[in-house]
Amino acid sequence: MSPNHASQGTTLALFCKVVDNYGDIGICWRLARQLTTEHGVAVSLWVDELRSFRRLCSHVDIDAEVQEIDGVTVRHWRTQEGVFSTGDVADIVIEFFACDPPPGYVAAMAKCDPRPVWFNLEGLSAEEWVEGCHALPSMHPRLPLTKYFFFPGFTSKTGGLLHESGLEEERRKFQADAGAVSAFLAQFGARSEEIASLKTSLFCYPHAPVPALFDMWQNGAQAVTCFVPEGVAAESVEAFLGAPAKPGAVHTRGALTVRVLPFVPQPEYDKLLWSCDINFVRGEDSFVRAQWAGRPFVWHIYPQDKDLHHVKLRAFLQRYCPDIDSLSAFSMRWNEVQASDVEERAGWQGMWMQLQADFPKITARSNEWQAKVLANGDLTSNLLNFADSLRSLNSENKV
């Protein structure tokens, strides 16, 4: 894709604090790469924790203060201290999830003429209140600066979702090539019988009811292979394996085979999602990528106090599958929402059978959903367009 002309030559600073290991840096790394490769923006990605970053991108040097990876300047953000000049400030400044850039950097922003466009890139939610908060300004309490809230989302009144321009074509081509799918899984040691089975990927938080899931699958009538990245649900996976959950570890019990994979770069993780019949994902980054995979998925949402995450989960399910009860019910059970009496009687096995019977319906819904969400534009383009409009407005106000 040719760069957005208005964005060519633009500099952008993206500040990221790693909170939940992979989600924060995963989103910021995808955004940084797309800004660079598709829009010609010169991106500096400030990251406070490089070890998690390296698990997603093997080129990261955890000891380097500054390094360039895939055209992005990566800076190790070690401290909130430091003195910055106006020459250090980018045209666009993004703080991910209100992580607060260094005070010295913000002070330098206030001295710039013109001042940079400043965004707080918020977390993803399907709740209705997001539409009312998207693009709202927030004046700095002391400095002549305005920060704008930018919310990703699922409607035209939000910022959209991260989606690279060639992603859909690449995904369809890959999924249509059975040989490519087999070769991809075989590189992790998957045997022919695993590739022929019902394939699942598992990426969840430690408290997920994985033992119940494994017990259901191993006692079922259908062969199931579960691909699990190293470190995910480690206690449950090791209990099933009877051995350390290291990459390459594999064990079959009953109808279930569990295979441990290494962490892979993000494009390879996308292919894992494309290769499986159903994906269990977590947080925000893998959640969004599962939506682009065109396959059924179950979301393990990041837990919040007072079970506020259940409200967030319900809001998404109401948008995504209001008429597919099996997916809603299984998703709620996976997130340990109190089951109804009917669901309790059905048990995990009954709910799974109902969900699996609806796979064709869910796949059709996935295709409809993709078209609907992409009609709103992708997050990166929407963000840059909004930044351009703000800069134009600032120029007009100065005349």
Side-chain angles (χ1 to χ4, degrees), residues 7-20:
S7 302
Q8 287 183 295
T10 299
T11 59
L12 184 146
L14 174 56
F15 290 86
C16 173
K17 286 189 175 180
V18 179
V19 177
D20 74 341

PDB file of all heavy atoms in Angstrom, residues 7-20:
ATOM      1  N   SER A   7       0.634  11.953   5.530  1.00  0.00           N
ATOM      2  CA  SER A   7       1.393  11.436   6.661  1.00  0.00           C
ATOM      3  C   SER A   7       2.885  11.317   6.386  1.00  0.00           C
ATOM      4  O   SER A   7       3.672  11.140   7.305  1.00  0.00           O
ATOM      5  CB  SER A   7       0.846  10.060   7.060  1.00  0.00           C
ATOM      6  OG  SER A   7      -0.516  10.141   7.371  1.00  0.00           O
ATOM      7  N   GLN A   8       3.278  11.361   5.107  1.00  0.00           N
ATOM      8  CA  GLN A   8       4.681  11.215   4.769  1.00  0.00           C
ATOM      9  C   GLN A   8       5.499  12.323   5.428  1.00  0.00           C
ATOM     10  O   GLN A   8       5.150  13.500   5.356  1.00  0.00           O
ATOM     11  CB  GLN A   8       4.871  11.244   3.257  1.00  0.00           C
ATOM     12  CG  GLN A   8       4.404   9.977   2.567  1.00  0.00           C
ATOM     13  CD  GLN A   8       4.667  10.020   1.082  1.00  0.00           C
ATOM     14  OE1 GLN A   8       4.102  10.834   0.373  1.00  0.00           O
ATOM     15  NE2 GLN A   8       5.555   9.151   0.625  1.00  0.00           N
ATOM     16  N   GLY A   9       6.578  11.947   6.065  1.00  0.00           N
ATOM     17  CA  GLY A   9       7.432  12.913   6.742  1.00  0.00           C
ATOM     18  C   GLY A   9       6.981  13.248   8.143  1.00  0.00           C
ATOM     19  O   GLY A   9       7.684  13.957   8.870  1.00  0.00           O
ATOM     20  N   THR A  10       5.801  12.748   8.568  1.00  0.00           N
ATOM     21  CA  THR A  10       5.303  12.980   9.922  1.00  0.00           C
ATOM     22  C   THR A  10       6.098  12.147  10.916  1.00  0.00           C
ATOM     23  O   THR A  10       6.431  10.997  10.657  1.00  0.00           O
ATOM     24  CB  THR A  10       3.809  12.613  10.015  1.00  0.00           C
ATOM     25  OG1 THR A  10       3.061  13.423   9.124  1.00  0.00           O
ATOM     26  CG2 THR A  10       3.287  12.791  11.435  1.00  0.00           C
ATOM     27  N   THR A  11       6.405  12.739  12.067  1.00  0.00           N
ATOM     28  CA  THR A  11       7.048  11.983  13.147  1.00  0.00           C
ATOM     29  C   THR A  11       6.013  11.687  14.223  1.00  0.00           C
ATOM     30  O   THR A  11       5.095  12.481  14.453  1.00  0.00           O
ATOM     31  CB  THR A  11       8.222  12.761  13.755  1.00  0.00           C
ATOM     32  OG1 THR A  11       7.745  14.028  14.264  1.00  0.00           O
ATOM     33  CG2 THR A  11       9.301  13.010  12.711  1.00  0.00           C
ATOM     34  N   LEU A  12       6.179  10.540  14.861  1.00  0.00           N
ATOM     35  CA  LEU A  12       5.201  10.117  15.872  1.00  0.00           C
ATOM     36  C   LEU A  12       5.917   9.390  17.005  1.00  0.00           C
ATOM     37  O   LEU A  12       6.763   8.527  16.756  1.00  0.00           O
ATOM     38  CB  LEU A  12       4.158   9.213  15.229  1.00  0.00           C
ATOM     39  CG  LEU A  12       2.994   8.727  16.102  1.00  0.00           C
ATOM     40  CD1 LEU A  12       1.715   8.603  15.280  1.00  0.00           C
ATOM     41  CD2 LEU A  12       3.300   7.392  16.780  1.00  0.00           C
ATOM     42  N   ALA A  13       5.594   9.754  18.228  1.00  0.00           N
ATOM     43  CA  ALA A  13       6.125   9.089  19.420  1.00  0.00           C
ATOM     44  C   ALA A  13       5.001   8.310  20.077  1.00  0.00           C
ATOM     45  O   ALA A  13       3.924   8.859  20.350  1.00  0.00           O
ATOM     46  CB  ALA A  13       6.703  10.103  20.402  1.00  0.00           C
ATOM     47  N   LEU A  14       5.235   7.023  20.298  1.00  0.00           N
ATOM     48  CA  LEU A  14       4.236   6.137  20.899  1.00  0.00           C
ATOM     49  C   LEU A  14       4.793   5.596  22.211  1.00  0.00           C
ATOM     50  O   LEU A  14       5.811   4.898  22.214  1.00  0.00           O
ATOM     51  CB  LEU A  14       3.929   5.002  19.931  1.00  0.00           C
ATOM     52  CG  LEU A  14       3.001   3.869  20.397  1.00  0.00           C
ATOM     53  CD1 LEU A  14       1.660   4.406  20.869  1.00  0.00           C
ATOM     54  CD2 LEU A  14       2.807   2.859  19.273  1.00  0.00           C
ATOM     55  N   PHE A  15       4.153   5.934  23.325  1.00  0.00           N
ATOM     56  CA  PHE A  15       4.614   5.537  24.651  1.00  0.00           C
ATOM     57  C   PHE A  15       3.804   4.344  25.148  1.00  0.00           C
ATOM     58  O   PHE A  15       2.567   4.383  25.170  1.00  0.00           O
ATOM     59  CB  PHE A  15       4.487   6.700  25.639  1.00  0.00           C
ATOM     60  CG  PHE A  15       5.463   7.816  25.386  1.00  0.00           C
ATOM     61  CD1 PHE A  15       5.166   8.829  24.477  1.00  0.00           C
ATOM     62  CD2 PHE A  15       6.684   7.830  26.026  1.00  0.00           C
ATOM     63  CE1 PHE A  15       6.066   9.861  24.238  1.00  0.00           C
ATOM     64  CE2 PHE A  15       7.600   8.853  25.794  1.00  0.00           C
ATOM     65  CZ  PHE A  15       7.290   9.865  24.893  1.00  0.00           C
ATOM     66  N   CYS A  16       4.512   3.280  25.565  1.00  0.00           N
ATOM     67  CA  CYS A  16       3.858   2.047  25.985  1.00  0.00           C
ATOM     68  C   CYS A  16       4.465   1.534  27.286  1.00  0.00           C
ATOM     69  O   CYS A  16       5.682   1.343  27.375  1.00  0.00           O
ATOM     70  CB  CYS A  16       4.022   0.981  24.895  1.00  0.00           C
ATOM     71  SG  CYS A  16       3.430  -0.666  25.366  1.00  0.00           S
ATOM     72  N   LYS A  17       3.605   1.306  28.278  1.00  0.00           N
ATOM     73  CA  LYS A  17       4.006   0.607  29.494  1.00  0.00           C
ATOM     74  C   LYS A  17       3.389  -0.784  29.473  1.00  0.00           C
ATOM     75  O   LYS A  17       2.190  -0.924  29.279  1.00  0.00           O
ATOM     76  CB  LYS A  17       3.568   1.368  30.748  1.00  0.00           C
ATOM     77  CG  LYS A  17       4.408   2.607  31.031  1.00  0.00           C
ATOM     78  CD  LYS A  17       4.096   3.207  32.388  1.00  0.00           C
ATOM     79  CE  LYS A  17       5.034   4.381  32.684  1.00  0.00           C
ATOM     80  NZ  LYS A  17       4.745   4.996  34.011  1.00  0.00           N
ATOM     81  N   VAL A  18       4.225  -1.797  29.662  1.00  0.00           N
ATOM     82  CA  VAL A  18       3.771  -3.176  29.589  1.00  0.00           C
ATOM     83  C   VAL A  18       3.119  -3.537  30.915  1.00  0.00           C
ATOM     84  O   VAL A  18       3.785  -3.613  31.946  1.00  0.00           O
ATOM     85  CB  VAL A  18       4.943  -4.125  29.277  1.00  0.00           C
ATOM     86  CG1 VAL A  18       4.455  -5.572  29.232  1.00  0.00           C
ATOM     87  CG2 VAL A  18       5.592  -3.740  27.946  1.00  0.00           C
ATOM     88  N   VAL A  19       1.805  -3.767  30.876  1.00  0.00           N
ATOM     89  CA  VAL A  19       1.042  -4.060  32.094  1.00  0.00           C
ATOM     90  C   VAL A  19       0.709  -5.541  32.195  1.00  0.00           C
ATOM     91  O   VAL A  19       0.969  -6.187  33.201  1.00  0.00           O
ATOM     92  CB  VAL A  19      -0.241  -3.213  32.159  1.00  0.00           C
ATOM     93  CG1 VAL A  19      -1.067  -3.576  33.385  1.00  0.00           C
ATOM     94  CG2 VAL A  19       0.108  -1.730  32.161  1.00  0.00           C
ATOM     95  N   ASP A  20       0.106  -6.098  31.121  1.00  0.00           N
ATOM     96  CA  ASP A  20      -0.328  -7.500  31.214  1.00  0.00           C
ATOM     97  C   ASP A  20       0.514  -8.404  30.303  1.00  0.00           C
ATOM     98  O   ASP A  20      -0.002  -9.310  29.666  1.00  0.00           O
ATOM     99  CB  ASP A  20      -1.815  -7.636  30.910  1.00  0.00           C
ATOM    100  CG  ASP A  20      -2.131  -7.489  29.425  1.00  0.00           C
ATOM    101  OD1 ASP A  20      -1.297  -6.939  28.704  1.00  0.00           O
ATOM    102  OD2 ASP A  20      -3.200  -7.957  29.003  1.00  0.00           O
TER     103      ASP A  20
END
